[in-house]
Amino acid sequence: MKNSPKYQALLVFLLSLNFGIVFFDRQALNALMPFVQPELGLTGTQVGLLAAGLSFSWAIAAFFVGRLSDSMGKRKILLVIATVAFSLCSFLSGIATSFLFLFAARLLMGVAEGGVMPISHAMVASEVNPERRGLAQGVAQNLGSNLLGSFAAPVVLVAFAQMFSWREAFYLAAIPGLISAALIWFMLEEPQMPAKEPAPKKTMGQTVTDFLAETGKALAVRNMWISVVVGVLMVGHFVTTWAFMPLFLVQQRGMDETSMSWLMGSLGIAAAIYSIVVSGLSDKIGRKPVMVFLPFLSVVGPLGVLLLDPAGFAGTGLFGLSNYALVLVPIFFIGWMVNGIFPIFMATIPSESFKPIHHATVLGLAMGSCEVLGGVFGPIVAGWINDGFGADSFLYLLMGLAVVSGFVSMGLRETAPAALRRKGITPEFA
């Protein structure tokens, strides 16, 4: 039955699975970069541009597809179309023969993938009980994306590339999305949209003007602009980590590809756990405490890579993985707890700060801003400083982004319903 606990669980599960497949496709290039970069002769700046290009088109799509779903009231069909489209784009990445070809394929993939999360979060916000909203949005955004995108992608695709080639690995990455689209189409219902007053038809210019006006009003809300600023910094941190860490570990730290894939995959396991633990914890103790503390904690990951000399951990250990990788696993596991706050600043806080009718629009604004600024400029800057100042320069950038995020989050106003009620405050938009 629609809106029953069982249906809500099914909804969150399928949306989490679908976004996991989105990230499986998105992370494919990062995991396969040690194979792709030598064959296509890519520079550090070009590696950054590939990550940035997808982030840019993803951001534009997040802005406008979220708004389109609000105005059309057809969220399920748009989600299915986007899922089929990004799956087909993975085939294009596999046949790329040059930087420009691959860059164009990633741009198209970003366009297809960008609207998936704003629509998904809007569906969760309208269908799931407010008391479980933080946990539900955390699972929808982080559980599948980390198990499939951050864990399965490097482990499975690197192994597949070693057996065949990186091109065949991209073909493999395209298949799950088609299956997910079918599951969503047949098993989920179209969410019921809040009633709207009839609006007069508007020209394209008026529509753009209204969109900019709504954006300005949204950013005037304190929690919204803080969420956007922290999102820009932390998405830059996330995209830069995945764009450059695999290459750095293999080419500069001498780690074999298999050990690298499992080490990077450990980030997925960590983030999958934290998607439940951190989001659920924020439902209990509040959004602000976790938003402030965890960015500071994330410094331990890049600091560990920077300070630990692989020469001191020669040889192999458990499962045949390098000892250096095994030492870094717990360090990465602790630092990556910060991934648990992503659905909080991208979705939970914005959705608790605005009326439901505006959810997809403000979520698209939050996610789009994070991607277009953090996801685009983060890896470009990292690639540029790596080319100019050394391959380890991006590690200092990661630490700087994290520290600034923690300080900015101190300005947040609490929105968690349970935390507010303990203070005798009634949530405004619960």
Side-chain angles (χ1 to χ4, degrees):
M1 181 183 296
K2 193 173 188 291
N3 292 331
S4 67
K6 184 179 294 187
Y7 179 79
Q8 291 178 26
L10 174 66
L11 173 79
V12 173
F13 170 76
L14 289 181
L15 294 180
S16 182
L17 173 68
N18 193 60
F19 196 58
I21 294 168
V22 166
F23 255 75
F24 189 87
D25 282 8
R26 178 171 182 168
Q27 298 290 64
L29 180 59
N30 297 321
L32 296 171
M33 188 57 74
F35 302 91
V36 177
Q37 189 262 351
E39 182 172 330
L40 299 186
L42 304 176
T43 65
T45 301
Q46 288 175 327
V47 171
L49 283 170
L50 287 169
L54 188 147
S55 292
F56 177 76
S57 57
W58 176 302
I60 299 303
F63 274 121
F64 292 103
V65 175
R67 182 173 174 83
L68 180 63
S69 77
D70 275 347
S71 61
M72 289 180 60
K74 299 294 183 183
R75 287 174 176 161
K76 187 179 85 166
I77 184 61
L78 288 175
L79 186 60
V80 169
I81 292 172
T83 301
V84 172
F86 75 68
S87 298
L88 297 178
C89 288
S90 191
F91 285 103
L92 292 179
S93 299
I95 62 175
T97 56
S98 66
F99 164 73
L100 288 178
F101 192 139
L102 188 56
F103 185 69
R106 305 311 281 180
L107 284 176
L108 289 174
M109 178 171 283
V111 170
E113 292 180 341
V116 171
M117 204 66 251
I119 296 173
S120 298
H121 273 312
M123 292 173 72
V124 171
S126 64
E127 302 293 290
V128 176
N129 293 338
E131 294 296 331
R132 295 191 295 271
R133 183 182 295 139
L135 176 60
Q137 289 179 320
V139 171
Q141 179 168 334
N142 269 14
L143 184 59
S145 65
N146 288 297
L147 286 178
L148 295 179
S150 298
F151 172 66
V155 173
V156 173
L157 295 177
V158 166
F160 204 77
Q162 289 174 326
M163 288 189 292
F164 301 100
S165 78
W166 62 267
R167 298 184 185 279
E168 280 74 13
F170 274 116
Y171 305 151
L172 175 67
I175 296 173
L178 302 177
I179 299 173
S180 180
L183 291 174
I184 291 172
W185 178 256
F186 289 110
M187 300 184 72
L188 296 185
E189 299 180 34
E190 186 67 58
Q192 184 175 353
M193 297 291 290
K196 294 190 297 184
E197 296 182 0
K201 292 184 178 180
K202 298 179 180 180
T203 64
M204 179 63 73
Q206 290 173 322
T207 301
V208 172
T209 300
D210 288 349
F211 174 75
L212 294 175
E214 288 184 24
T215 299
K217 289 179 182 177
L219 291 176
V221 175
R222 179 174 176 176
N223 274 2
M224 189 67 196
W225 70 257
I226 290 179
S227 293
V228 167
V229 171
V230 173
V232 169
L233 297 172
M234 292 312 301
V235 168
H237 182 282
F238 178 91
V239 176
T240 299
T241 296
W242 276 97
F244 291 95
M245 192 67 78
L247 268 179
F248 184 80
L249 292 172
V250 172
Q251 296 183 352
Q252 304 299 322
R253 290 295 188 254
M255 190 178 294
D256 63 277
E257 288 88 352
T258 299
S259 295
M260 177 277 293
S261 71
W262 281 96
L263 174 59
M264 296 304 295
S266 72
L267 298 183
I269 297 296
I273 294 172
Y274 297 139
S275 70
I276 299 174
V277 173
V278 174
S279 297
L281 184 63
S282 79
D283 281 339
K284 302 297 182 182
I285 69 171
R287 318 300 182 202
K288 184 174 178 178
V290 296
M291 287 285 295
V292 172
F293 176 68
L294 294 183
F296 291 119
L297 183 63
S298 70
V299 170
V300 302
L303 192 63
V305 174
L306 187 66
L307 297 181
L308 292 178
D309 185 355
F313 305 95
T316 59
L318 192 66
F319 304 124
L321 303 180
S322 72
N323 288 325
Y324 182 56
L326 293 173
V327 168
L328 288 177
V329 165
I331 296 174
F332 276 32
F333 198 88
I334 293 170
W336 212 238
M337 189 181 295
V338 74
N339 199 261
I341 71 171
F342 276 59
I344 297 176
F345 64 69
M346 282 187 177
T348 308
I349 292 176
S351 66
E352 290 173 339
S353 302
F354 293 88
K355 295 179 180 179
I357 189 64
H358 301 301
H359 278 171
T361 299
V362 297
L363 297 184
L365 171 62
M367 297 173 202
S369 300
C370 298
E371 287 286 352
V372 78
L373 297 175
V376 172
F377 291 105
I380 290 177
V381 171
W384 177 74
I385 63 174
N386 273 8
D387 285 340
F389 302 99
D392 63 352
S393 301
F394 79 100
L395 297 170
Y396 295 97
L397 177 64
L398 294 179
M399 291 185 283
L401 293 172
V403 169
V404 175
S405 295
F407 281 114
V408 173
S409 295
M410 293 179 181
L412 283 168
R413 290 173 177 166
E414 188 57 67
T415 62
L420 291 176
R421 290 190 180 108
R422 283 197 299 271
K423 299 177 182 179
I425 301 173
T426 300
E428 187 176 359
F429 300 113

